[in-house]
Amino acid sequence: MVLLACMSAATRPDPLRGYARDTWRSLVAMTDPATGLVADNLSGDLSTKSTYTSPTNIGGYLWSAVVARELGIISSREATARINQTLTTLSTLQHHEISGMFYNWYDPHTGAVVTTWPEDGSTVTPFLSSVDNGWLAAALHVVAGAVPSLKPQATRILSTMNFGFFFNPAATSPIGTRGLIRGGFWDTRPPGCSVAQDGVWFTCNHYDITVTEPRIATYLGIGAGQIPATAYFDAMRTLPDSCDYAWQEMQPQGFTTTHLGRTVYEGSYRYRGITFVPSWGGDMFEALMPDLFVPEETWGPNSWGRNHPATVAAQIEHGLGDAGYGYWGFSPASNPFGGYAAYGVDAMGMDTDGYPSDVQGGRYDAGFGDCRPPGPAAVYGDGVITPHAAFLALPYARKAATDNLAKIKSDFDAYGPGGFYDSIAVRSGTVAKRYLSLDQSMIMGAVGNVLAHDVLRRAFVTRDFERAVRPLLAQETFNVPAGQRLPQLGGGRR
């Protein structure tokens, strides 16, 4: 006991390794032994898993296996066998032949495309998502870079995936920029809005915001020469600061510049003394998940290198200061009272009806200068935090994130046999006692990068990809001040 008490911080076991080991256990429990396909979610006791999965889930399992190997949780032989099984099944799945893209939902036991939703029996028109296929392709890049013996298999699948199929050069954003990726498409006519073209029915929406998770698909398309580099600058940092756009969350401040012949408004928001470029909903997932694979803060020191720490700091300030929850980490996750919901920090999202941080839907309304008066002060109720959001913050606030996670674990019944449960409503103490494979794989990826020297990034980035993408990030300066005073982040990768 005396020896344990005197153990130095340097020799004490890192709790992150334990979290990763338990998180991996949940992913193993979610995976069908016959196909190597991981289910979408799993009950907290690891006994009951969903009967559907997605390209994102499959990709998350692949990169998690690489991390588990690097952290010594499983052997190299086991990791290779697991990844090989998944790739073998993936190569047989029905997909859209022309684009090489995969459908959004498969049965993990049979590999069949889901056409009837297993939870309620409703009809599903099979959809192919640009974002979901982006995460699968990112995982295939990781496999190709981290497991040489399986590179041919991973590359064969990747070589047929054309992200240019999602790109619409004629699309315009609200401020007139052009060339955007679509949300996805159906290969049979769907109900509701769609645009028939190229033998499919595309979504009516395009992704036109920079700080959102679809940028992984844009990066991949640019890196492969399938999408023009200008697409990176055609997404909006914010809407302009004129009254014509007063429906956004707050009035941005910024300046106009030009990159690759494209006019870019470098707008930013300011919340609780912190300046940042907002995401759509104000959540950690949109802002930081692509950063698991692309070293954004290194390649773009004056853009993402400023924005990522500011985003983390503002999330911490919301949870500990503004809302006073005592905990932080806001991102789409399980609703502790049932189902799934989009959580975030409303003030940090462009959408005025952005993602709330609590069950009651507390709203922040700063107004818009003389164009729109501020609303009543926000009232925050039963705040919902999700551990994966704190894990994503690790590179920029390691001590703050690990302290937050330790407090969550000690103060709530929030930790089970597969690691942290998916979400916690902190004022009522209600816990969503289940595991989502996407959220678990984000945890694995974040821990792997921190403890295994950016393992996902090193495996993902190729010379060709870096040559195509790095100069884009390097040339931009966000309207986020260098060296702005942020709440104590506790250190990180930097």
Side-chain angles (χ1 to χ4, degrees):
M1 296 297 292
V2 174
L3 287 174
L4 287 175
C6 295
M7 186 179 290
S8 70
T11 57
R12 228 176 262 139
D14 192 324
L16 293 177
R17 288 189 179 275
Y19 297 157
R21 186 177 298 107
D22 294 338
T23 301
W24 173 249
R25 185 179 298 121
S26 74
L27 287 163
V28 170
M30 275 188 258
T31 304
D32 189 283
T35 63
L37 299 182
V38 66
D40 178 82
N41 60 78
L42 176 73
S43 60
D45 62 0
L46 309 186
S47 67
T48 306
K49 55 191 174 185
S50 69
T51 55
Y52 52 91
T53 191
S54 71
T56 295
N57 295 332
I58 297 167
Y61 173 70
L62 290 172
W63 75 65
S64 294
V66 170
V67 170
R69 181 196 70 183
E70 291 299 298
L71 296 182
I73 298 170
I74 60 176
S75 67
S76 178
R77 182 176 181 178
E78 180 180 347
T80 300
R82 286 182 174 277
I83 294 169
N84 178 63
Q85 182 187 37
T86 304
L87 292 179
T88 300
T89 299
L90 192 59
S91 68
T92 68
L93 294 183
Q94 181 183 349
H95 60 281
H96 184 247
E97 294 288 342
I98 296 174
S99 66
M101 296 297 163
F102 290 83
Y103 294 95
N104 240 37
W105 302 112
Y106 293 90
D107 183 323
H109 182 61
T110 66
V113 176
V114 172
T115 56
T116 301
W117 196 243
E119 295 185 348
D120 60 11
S122 60
T123 299
V124 176
T125 304
F127 179 66
L128 301 95
S129 159
S130 55
V131 174
D132 280 270
N133 276 283
W135 295 126
L136 175 59
L140 292 169
H141 277 280
V142 168
V143 170
V147 191
S149 64
L150 298 179
K151 182 176 181 178
Q153 282 179 262
T155 302
R156 267 196 302 273
I157 300 170
L158 267 174
S159 66
T160 68
M161 299 179 76
N162 179 12
F163 285 92
F165 196 80
F166 294 111
F167 183 71
N168 181 4
T172 57
S173 73
I175 62 174
T177 55
R178 58 197 184 277
L180 302 167
I181 63 169
R182 308 175 194 259
F185 64 91
W186 300 265
D187 56 5
T188 57
R189 184 185 294 275
C193 185
S194 64
V195 177
Q197 185 179 330
D198 298 329
V200 301
W201 288 262
F202 286 105
T203 57
C204 294
N205 75 296
H206 297 79
Y207 292 119
D208 57 8
I209 305 297
T210 300
V211 187
T212 51
E213 76 276 12
R215 71 181 184 274
I216 192 66
T218 301
Y219 284 151
L220 287 162
I222 292 172
Q226 299 162 348
I227 292 176
T230 50
Y232 178 72
F233 296 110
D234 278 326
M236 298 181 295
R237 280 61 184 156
T238 67
L239 289 157
D241 62 358
S242 77
C243 289
D244 292 338
Y245 305 99
W247 55 265
Q248 63 183 304
E249 184 62 60
M250 65 178 73
Q251 187 167 17
Q253 301 295 318
F255 58 90
T256 299
T257 187
T258 302
H259 293 292
L260 302 186
R262 298 302 212 235
T263 299
V264 179
Y265 175 63
E266 296 287 358
S268 60
Y269 285 1
R270 189 167 177 82
Y271 167 63
R272 303 280 292 187
I274 300 169
T275 301
F276 56 90
V277 179
S279 62
W280 178 247
D283 59 286
M284 207 75 91
F285 164 74
E286 287 183 287
L288 290 178
M289 190 174 172
D291 189 58
L292 291 174
F293 304 93
V294 181
E296 292 177 314
E297 90 292 345
T298 301
W299 290 3
N302 297 321
S303 51
W304 301 105
R306 299 180 185 182
N307 208 57
H308 288 332
T311 295
V312 172
Q315 281 241 344
I316 295 172
E317 174 60 25
H318 179 75
L320 303 186
D322 192 10
Y325 296 136
Y327 314 86
W328 57 273
F330 309 96
S331 200
S334 298
N335 182 336
F337 298 92
Y340 185 85
Y343 299 104
V345 178
D346 183 34
M348 296 178 66
M350 286 177 62
D351 183 10
T352 51
D353 296 321
Y355 305 161
S357 63
D358 62 354
V359 175
Q360 291 76 15
R363 297 294 181 190
Y364 176 96
D365 185 0
F368 197 98
D370 295 330
C371 311
R372 188 186 80 229
V379 177
Y380 301 110
D382 201 0
V384 178
I385 56 169
T386 178
H388 83 257
F391 279 97
L392 288 175
L394 279 169
Y396 305 100
R398 182 163 174 174
K399 185 177 187 303
T402 53
D403 287 351
N404 185 48
L405 290 164
K407 195 166 183 280
I408 293 168
K409 186 180 179 184
S410 66
D411 292 356
F412 303 100
D413 183 16
Y415 201 89
F420 284 97
Y421 294 127
D422 201 51
S423 67
I424 305 98
V426 298
R427 288 188 172 144
S428 65
T430 308
V431 178
K433 290 191 174 182
R434 69 170 182 160
Y435 301 106
L436 272 59
S437 60
L438 167 59
D439 297 356
Q440 298 298 84
S441 64
M442 281 191 275
I443 291 172
M444 291 296 293
V447 174
N449 278 342
V450 168
L451 297 185
H453 311 291
D454 280 343
V455 55
L456 294 189
R457 290 168 157 197
R458 287 185 290 110
F460 174 84
V461 174
T462 63
R463 289 182 181 178
D464 287 344
F465 181 87
E466 182 171 1
R467 190 177 299 116
V469 174
R470 183 169 187 164
L472 305 178
L473 279 60
Q475 67 184 273
E476 186 174 19
T477 298
F478 283 172
N479 188 41
V480 176
Q484 70 170 315
R485 187 176 180 277
L486 300 173
Q488 179 52 254
L489 296 184
R493 180 185 288 124
R494 299 153 65 87

